[in-house]
Amino acid sequence: YDDQVAFMRDAGKLAESLVSEGFTAMKIWPFDDFAAASGGHLITLPQLKEGLEPFRKIRQAVGDQIEVMCELHSLWGSHAATRICRALEDLGIFWAEDPIAKMDDARALADLRRQTRVPVCGSETLAGTVAFRDLLAAGALDVVMLDLAWCGGLSEGRKIAALAETYLK
């Protein structure tokens, strides 16, 4: 549990600790607290700068020794998610996970993906091959993240993995 909140206290120190333990990647979610104020429709410039700070501290502490993923927890509208993803571009983020509130909206997600260089990861909250097929066919994802409990179990997960392999070569 400590690592889940440690990035807000001192992201650089946490990154140093993880690297020393042999970890090569970490995922943080510093923008979550700002979504409630506007229902996810707006992130202000001060909020954006505050949310970017943990990423900067990680890069200052360990440079490129660790991959950093940004979890957005499906809290954001398209405009705010695009603003966040664009701000993350120069920090070498591995992916932005579940950036928009409607992760089954293939058009909105594909539009966001075209507007940023940050790879889009989604979505462990989707169920079944159809939802993933629609996103992949629309060019909405760079990385498929599924949850076996949500997607329909191991058999369905294997089908989704085969779809991803077809689209994401």
Side-chain angles (χ1 to χ4, degrees):
Y1 177 78
D2 284 343
D3 283 358
Q4 290 182 10
V5 295
F7 72 87
M8 293 304 287
R9 288 191 302 267
D10 191 340
K13 184 176 178 181
L14 174 61
E16 288 171 342
S17 171
L18 292 172
V19 167
S20 74
E21 294 176 33
F23 288 91
T24 59
M26 63 188 292
K27 181 169 67 170
I28 62 174
W29 45 94
F31 297 103
D32 284 12
D33 289 344
F34 306 125
S38 70
H41 295 289
L42 172 71
I43 184 159
T44 66
L45 187 55
Q47 291 170 336
L48 188 63
K49 287 182 177 181
E50 186 178 335
L52 292 171
E53 196 56 32
F55 296 98
R56 289 194 176 102
K57 287 181 179 179
I58 291 165
R59 290 294 178 231
Q60 288 171 351
V62 298
D64 295 335
Q65 294 179 64
I66 197 164
E67 295 286 359
V68 185
M69 293 83 150
C70 180
E71 168 69 74
L72 293 172
H73 286 121
S74 301
L75 295 173
W76 299 98
S78 295
H79 176 72
T82 301
R83 189 172 195 196
I84 293 167
C85 289
R86 284 183 178 162
L88 291 168
E89 288 176 345
D90 293 334
L91 295 167
I93 302 308
F94 194 75
W95 74 45
E97 184 178 339
D98 290 346
I100 63 173
K102 293 184 154 247
M103 282 302 295
D104 59 348
D105 186 339
R107 178 184 283 166
L109 200 55
D111 187 48
L112 175 125
R113 185 173 173 247
R114 284 189 297 275
Q115 293 183 55
T116 183
R117 295 186 322 265
V118 172
V120 173
C121 175
S123 170
E124 60 195 355
T125 62
L126 296 177
T129 55
V130 173
F132 283 97
R133 184 202 62 214
D134 292 348
L135 292 178
L136 289 163
L141 297 175
D142 295 289
V143 178
V144 168
M145 165 99 51
L146 57 89
D147 181 314
L148 291 176
W150 282 69
C151 78
L154 184 57
S155 295
E156 198 73 3
R158 290 179 63 161
K159 292 175 191 176
I160 294 164
L163 271 173
E165 186 175 28
T166 301
Y167 281 95
L168 301 176
K169 289 185 177 186

